[in-house]
Amino acid sequence: MKQDNIIKKIWLCIYPLIFWAVNQFVAGFLFQLYFLIDMTNKGKVNLVTTQSLTEFTSENIVLILLITSVINILFFAFMLKRNNKLNIGLNCEEGKIPYIISLIIMGISFFMFSSGIIDMFDLTKYSDSYDTIINSLSSGGVIFNIIAVGIVAPVSEELMIRGVIYNNLKKYIKPALAVFIQAFLFGIMHMNIIQSTYAIFAGLILGYIYEKSGSLLVSSIFHISFNISNHLFSIPLLSDIAEIPLLMLITGVILLIYTFKYFNKKSFYN
């Protein structure tokens, strides 16, 4: 009986990641199958190679991400709703707009901090795949990219990591330890050393603000702000600031500390 309970506990904490991984694999496989069928119909099947399949998948990675994220949202929202854990309210009793703005700035400032660190120490040299992944996720047009990568994907990840996994972990371990574990899982799911590293730190912040607020809307605002910042700092003037790593780092740290303190002061959930 005890062994069954342990297996059940482990399963409750890892099945969301298994669902996410299978979802990613199936979507990628179907896109490659479509490419193969299309090339066959055009009489170009001899041109199909592993490289061409990989390139086709890479070119459509944002669309694949959008599709899989929507599926994840539907599945994990259903699971949370069934367990009465789908809290997307904003219950702060005063200063809602400043509160939301602080979360947005917090997300942007963390992007500035992490981007400053990466550029200052030229960390991309330690990961050949980082630039490839970032460039792939920046393809497909700005508006489409903002919707898929900037909004839908973060909501999907918040429902899965903070909503399902973190809440399941808290059933069996203390919240502090659960925050660290969910942050680690959030990091490794990004699957390259640079993204995984800053995702772990982001996961710690996201876990904390979710625990503090009890709302997936709060963690989603931070997460969306961080993801959209990549496009935000590509516009004129801000792109000039992004080219000065030390300025990005210092400004990011100052804003992150200030908004984090404001969040703690103005959070009236608990």
Side-chain angles (χ1 to χ4, degrees):
M1 182 66 69
K2 184 177 292 186
Q3 185 177 4
D4 291 340
N5 288 337
I6 293 174
I7 293 174
K8 181 181 178 181
K9 290 176 182 179
I10 294 174
W11 170 251
L12 286 174
C13 297
I14 66 170
Y15 86 82
L17 287 175
I18 295 174
F19 180 88
W20 169 82
V22 171
N23 190 14
Q24 299 280 331
F25 174 80
V26 171
F29 173 77
L30 290 177
F31 265 76
Q32 291 185 347
L33 182 61
Y34 165 80
F35 177 72
L36 180 60
I37 294 173
D38 184 56
M39 293 296 282
T40 301
N41 291 336
K42 293 177 180 178
K44 299 179 180 179
V45 67
N46 59 308
L47 299 178
V48 177
T49 63
T50 301
Q51 182 178 353
S52 65
L53 284 169
T54 302
E55 289 176 353
F56 179 77
T57 304
S58 180
E59 290 169 0
N60 291 278
I61 194 66
V62 176
L63 178 58
I64 293 172
L65 178 64
L66 177 61
I67 293 171
T68 56
S69 294
V70 170
I71 293 172
N72 285 339
I73 287 173
L74 294 174
F75 176 73
F76 293 122
F78 169 77
M79 297 302 293
L80 288 167
K81 183 68 175 178
R82 190 178 70 171
N83 294 300
N84 296 317
K85 294 291 185 180
L86 188 61
N87 186 356
I88 53 174
L90 189 64
N91 303 316
C92 184
E93 296 175 358
E94 60 181 60
K96 286 187 177 181
I97 293 178
Y99 185 80
I100 292 172
I101 292 174
S102 73
L103 289 168
I104 293 172
I105 296 176
M106 195 189 304
I108 295 172
S109 64
F110 185 78
F111 172 85
M112 295 178 72
F113 165 74
S114 57
S115 179
I117 290 287
I118 292 169
D119 292 340
M120 182 178 296
F121 296 100
D122 192 22
L123 297 181
T124 55
K125 64 185 179 184
Y126 298 109
S127 177
D128 295 333
S129 62
Y130 178 74
D131 284 335
T132 301
I133 292 172
I134 295 301
N135 290 333
S136 296
L137 292 175
S138 299
S139 62
V142 175
I143 301 299
F144 182 65
N145 187 270
I146 287 175
I147 293 172
V149 182
I151 300 175
V152 180
V155 171
S156 166
E157 291 172 357
E158 288 310 303
L159 288 169
M160 177 176 69
I161 302 294
R162 258 60 65 179
V164 178
I165 293 178
Y166 177 66
N167 278 314
N168 284 341
L169 283 169
K170 282 205 304 178
K171 294 177 182 177
Y172 312 115
I173 59 178
K174 293 181 179 179
L177 181 57
V179 166
F180 278 96
I181 293 176
Q182 62 83 33
F184 176 74
L185 294 175
F186 182 58
I188 62 174
M189 67 179 281
H190 286 80
M191 294 183 293
N192 77 76
I193 187 64
I194 295 177
Q195 279 187 299
S196 293
T197 300
Y198 67 67
I200 288 174
F201 286 101
L204 290 172
I205 297 174
L206 286 163
Y208 175 81
I209 63 178
Y210 174 69
E211 173 63 23
K212 179 78 172 177
S213 66
S215 173
L216 287 166
L217 177 60
V218 171
S219 59
S220 294
I221 291 172
F222 174 95
H223 199 157
I224 290 170
S225 301
F226 175 82
N227 278 29
I228 290 180
S229 293
N230 189 49
H231 286 287
L232 182 65
F233 281 89
S234 65
I235 64 177
L237 184 59
L238 289 180
S239 62
D240 294 333
I241 296 175
E243 293 178 359
I244 309 174
L246 183 60
L247 180 59
M248 288 282 283
L249 175 59
I250 294 174
T251 305
V253 169
I254 293 172
L255 290 176
L256 185 60
I257 292 173
Y258 178 80
T259 51
F260 193 76
K261 286 183 176 180
Y262 184 87
F263 167 80
N264 279 315
K265 179 181 178 182
K266 292 296 182 179
S267 183
F268 296 99
Y269 292 91
N270 297 321

